Amino acid sequence: MSINFWLDLLILTCIWAGVAGAWNLLAGFAGQFSLGHAAFFGIGAYTPPLLAQALGVATWFGIAAGAALAAALALVIAGVSLRTRWPFFTLITIAFAEVVRILAVYFKGITKGSEGLMLELEPGFANYFYLDKWPYLLLAAIYAAGVIWLCAVIRRSRLGFRLLSVREDEDAARSLGVPVFMARANATMISAALAAMGGSIFGLYTKFVDPDSTLSFLLSVQPALITIVGGLGHALGPLLGAALVIPIEHLLRSWFGGVLFGLHGLIFGLALIAVLLVLPDGLVGGLRRRRGRQVRHA
Amino acid sequence: MLGQVLVSGILVGGIYALVAVGLNIVFGVLRIINFAHGEYLMMSMYGAYWLWRMGIDPYLAAFLVVPAMALFGALSERYLVRYTLAAHAHVKIFVTLGLSIALQNLALLLFKADYLNVRTSYQTSTLDLAGFAFSVPRLVAFGALLVTAASLYAFLRYTDFGKAIRATAQDATTARLMGIDVERVYMVTFAIGAAVVGVTGCLLIPIYYVFPTVGIDFVVVAFVVVVLGGLGSIPGAIAGGLLIGIVEQFSGFFVETSLRQVVYFLIFIAVLAVRPAGLFGQRGAEEIGLK
């Protein structure tokens, strides 16, 4: 296998570790299980090339704009789901992500619809557009490290404690004066903005953005799967999960993808069930239990 | 013309209602969202399709598909869902999601991604009533909805086991104290949910193609219907299904077919924001036992 294969694997692992970290911030800390992160990821992927084509602005500006747009959508989602508890929050996020996906397919004039968008930007640092894979590994690694660091910081901050209290008992938290909506909305917005940045890097790296590869429902499942395998609510969980899930997924796809279409998805689904039933705390929880330490949630 | 749109909306809504009834009864009693519900529909449709290939009419195939699906439902509760009931919220959501992904890909592996459909003599025939055209298979499906829903309603209302199911839905702990075998109630409820979707699959195959991800199209609508109609309410699921069917057909007529889903997702979001218990659900039902 060539160096490019391994580079590809590392870049995707880093990107997904970051996106899963963003998901974990909301699900693991605040107990809000989103199945709509594909919307944020897709907004992040589409915004830089669309802005570059329309206004000719540099990619960095597009990434920031994508993150801001995703955060704005997250604020709407948080507002709408204010009165609902977990299963409904999940359903609302699915509905929002579907709306975004359908609109992206529908507005062909802007997004090229299901045909997809080829990224053709001026090479160089301003657009972070390179033919080589190395610069993307650097960017993806910085992104993953940044997300994990931010999650660890937030976990120990006032916001982190508020989120945990909301997760454990929302009514009790409210009665003690925790601003529940503010905490939830902040977590949703930060999570969305971070996921959008991951989407931007993914789009720049693959140089092709279409609804299937950036907005599909399975992309909303992906960060959840990675986090659950790694350890829900642990800052390092998403990294461990991505380091395990992405290579396995890649290998399964390259072994069976061409011949036995569907086999890797079947294994994927069964593995998810097995991990949930055997190791509900994920790898991090399992490792801690092994060492005889008490498993604390987060 | 508008009358015809209304008629087809009601008939489409009948199918959505049937899918939603099965989802809703499981949701109401076990308090879990069965993400694999759409795949149960997909399995039923493949079952009816293969029986048709062997020379059995899809409507007669129901007599084989429905018991098979009931058995599969009971088994998936007994050997999978049961272990999640006392677990964390994320386990509840993602175990059935894992089952859904596994079943979809199993179908892809076995049957490829081809769109398959059956050919029957009645498939394209229509009935003219009061100046409106009624598609025969859709009319049959609608009739079956009424029969299924009425018998399920009567079962829950008047039989002892139906009462046990309703008691468990209200409060599982108290039901257990009253001597109800709650585990058995859960298993039978899951079997009923899968059986109803088995009926739906046989009725749907003369109308719609079957392919590995066909369940997603219907189950997403069923979520909307369940929320709209209210948790655990059979009349609510029917009213919600018909409403979504009508809205879908009218928005396809007035706006654009490819945007019809957006319309009902927006309704869904609006209902959850304003009245989370659904239009017909009991207030506060969305919070019972969900923690």
Side-chain angles (χ1 to χ4, degrees):
Chain A
M1 291 178 192
S2 69
I3 179 88
N4 275 341
F5 177 85
W6 297 106
L7 272 179
D8 191 49
L9 206 62
L10 269 174
I11 292 168
L12 289 176
T13 303
C14 285
I15 291 176
W16 280 109
V19 177
W23 187 84
N24 188 31
L25 181 68
L26 190 59
F29 294 176
Q32 305 266 306
F33 297 96
S34 156
L35 278 177
H37 265 51
F40 308 135
F41 189 81
I43 287 173
Y46 269 102
T47 307
L50 288 180
L51 277 185
Q53 277 167 14
L55 306 171
V57 294
T59 295
W60 296 108
F61 182 78
I63 294 177
L69 203 60
L73 178 67
L75 186 62
V76 175
I77 292 177
V80 167
S81 60
L82 177 62
R83 293 175 56 196
T84 60
R85 301 286 164 102
W86 65 261
F88 296 96
F89 178 79
T90 306
L91 294 179
I92 284 178
T93 54
I94 295 177
F96 268 102
E98 279 297 296
V99 169
V100 171
R101 188 183 62 82
I102 295 166
L103 291 181
V105 174
Y106 180 73
F107 288 105
K108 289 187 189 68
I110 304 170
T111 62
K112 294 260 168 65
S114 37
E115 227 177 82
L117 207 64
M118 287 295 256
L119 268 66
E120 281 153 2
L121 302 170
E122 187 83 4
F125 185 75
N127 286 325
Y128 214 84
F129 202 76
Y130 300 98
L131 292 176
D132 216 14
K133 282 179 193 283
W134 289 102
Y136 294 101
L137 179 60
L138 181 71
L139 188 64
I142 292 172
Y143 165 68
V147 171
I148 290 162
W149 172 78
L150 193 66
C151 284
V153 169
I154 288 176
R155 170 66 188 80
R156 282 173 185 76
S157 72
R158 181 183 291 240
L159 175 62
F161 286 108
R162 283 178 173 168
L163 293 177
L164 291 204
S165 74
V166 171
R167 181 188 74 185
E168 293 305 321
D169 193 332
E170 192 172 318
D171 297 319
R174 203 187 299 269
S175 73
L176 290 173
V178 173
V180 172
F181 176 68
M182 280 293 289
R184 264 206 211 174
N186 281 337
T188 317
M189 289 195 305
I190 296 170
S191 175
L194 291 175
M197 289 178 197
S200 299
I201 300 172
F202 181 80
L204 283 174
Y205 169 58
T206 56
K207 299 183 174 49
F208 176 69
V209 178
D210 76 331
D212 254 6
S213 66
T214 63
L215 284 166
S216 77
F217 178 65
L218 273 180
L219 290 179
S220 292
V221 179
Q222 181 92 324
L225 175 83
I226 289 169
T227 307
I228 288 168
V229 168
L232 186 68
H234 302 277
L236 280 178
L239 184 65
L240 266 175
L244 191 74
V245 170
I246 299 296
I248 291 180
E249 204 192 341
H250 233 63
L251 289 177
L252 284 176
R253 200 172 282 172
S254 60
W255 286 340
F256 302 121
V259 209
L260 296 167
F261 209 55
L263 188 64
H264 90 266
L266 176 62
I267 296 173
F268 210 72
L270 294 178
L272 178 61
I273 297 173
V275 168
L276 282 165
L277 294 181
V278 181
L279 275 179
D281 298 315
L283 287 176
V284 174
L287 288 174
R288 286 202 178 163
R289 199 176 299 160
R290 255 244 146 101
R291 279 194 268 140
R293 272 165 62 178
Q294 195 197 352
V295 178
R296 285 179 305 132
H297 282 280
Chain B
M1 190 62 202
L2 286 183
Q4 185 63 52
V5 177
L6 183 67
V7 163
S8 57
I10 291 171
L11 293 182
V12 169
I15 291 164
Y16 292 160
L18 261 176
V19 182
V21 164
L23 190 70
N24 207 4
I25 186 171
V26 169
F27 201 176
V29 178
L30 284 88
R31 309 278 175 206
I32 64 151
I33 301 172
N34 183 12
F35 278 100
H37 193 72
E39 278 57 54
Y40 290 10
L41 179 70
M42 176 268 291
M43 289 167 66
S44 320
M45 289 175 78
Y46 272 114
Y49 172 80
W50 283 103
L51 288 169
W52 171 78
R53 288 277 294 259
M54 290 190 286
I56 300 172
D57 185 85
Y59 292 150
L60 289 177
F63 290 97
L64 287 169
V65 171
V66 173
M69 285 311 297
L71 182 67
F72 184 75
L75 289 177
S76 51
E77 195 283 329
R78 177 64 189 83
Y79 293 105
L80 193 62
V81 174
R82 182 163 300 180
Y83 301 109
T84 71
L85 292 177
H88 273 281
H90 75 273
V91 179
K92 285 187 201 186
I93 295 179
F94 289 102
V95 161
T96 59
L97 194 61
L99 182 63
S100 155
I101 296 171
L103 289 174
Q104 259 174 43
N105 284 282
L106 184 65
L108 191 61
L109 197 59
L110 294 176
F111 307 122
K112 308 280 176 286
D114 301 331
Y115 283 46
L116 305 171
N117 70 334
V118 303
R119 265 175 294 277
T120 57
S121 53
Y122 47 79
Q123 181 159 51
T124 51
S125 47
T126 53
L127 211 64
D128 284 313
L129 281 178
F132 298 122
F134 290 83
S135 137
V136 169
R138 285 178 195 270
L139 206 57
V140 171
F142 195 79
L145 161 74
L146 295 180
V147 173
T148 310
S151 39
L152 199 56
Y153 190 77
F155 170 74
L156 290 175
R157 185 129 198 111
Y158 299 113
T159 66
D160 280 350
F161 202 84
K163 283 177 187 159
I165 292 179
R166 283 193 293 138
T168 310
Q170 253 175 32
D171 188 336
T173 317
T174 311
R176 199 189 297 276
L177 289 173
M178 298 297 122
I180 291 171
D181 185 349
V182 171
E183 274 70 35
R184 196 151 155 258
V185 166
Y186 284 161
M187 197 160 86
V188 172
T189 305
F190 230 85
I192 292 173
V196 173
V197 101
V199 176
T200 319
C202 296
L203 295 166
L204 199 54
I205 193 75
I207 306 170
Y208 210 78
Y209 293 96
V210 59
F211 47 95
T213 52
V214 68
I216 297 177
D217 294 356
F218 287 92
V219 83
V220 168
V221 185
F223 287 144
V224 179
V225 170
V226 165
V227 167
L228 208 57
L231 292 182
S233 156
I234 293 178
I238 294 172
L242 296 184
L243 195 62
I244 286 296
I246 293 167
V247 166
E248 185 190 286
Q249 292 299 309
F250 271 99
S251 54
F253 184 70
F254 285 113
V255 193
E256 185 144 355
T257 321
S258 52
L259 285 182
R260 64 195 156 90
Q261 279 185 310
V262 172
V263 174
Y264 60 63
F265 279 129
L266 292 180
I267 295 175
F268 170 75
I269 290 164
V271 168
L272 272 178
V274 180
R275 204 184 141 81
L279 296 179
F280 302 90
Q282 251 183 323
R283 199 158 270 233
E286 78 279 11
E287 288 176 9
I288 296 175
L290 291 179
K291 286 206 282 193

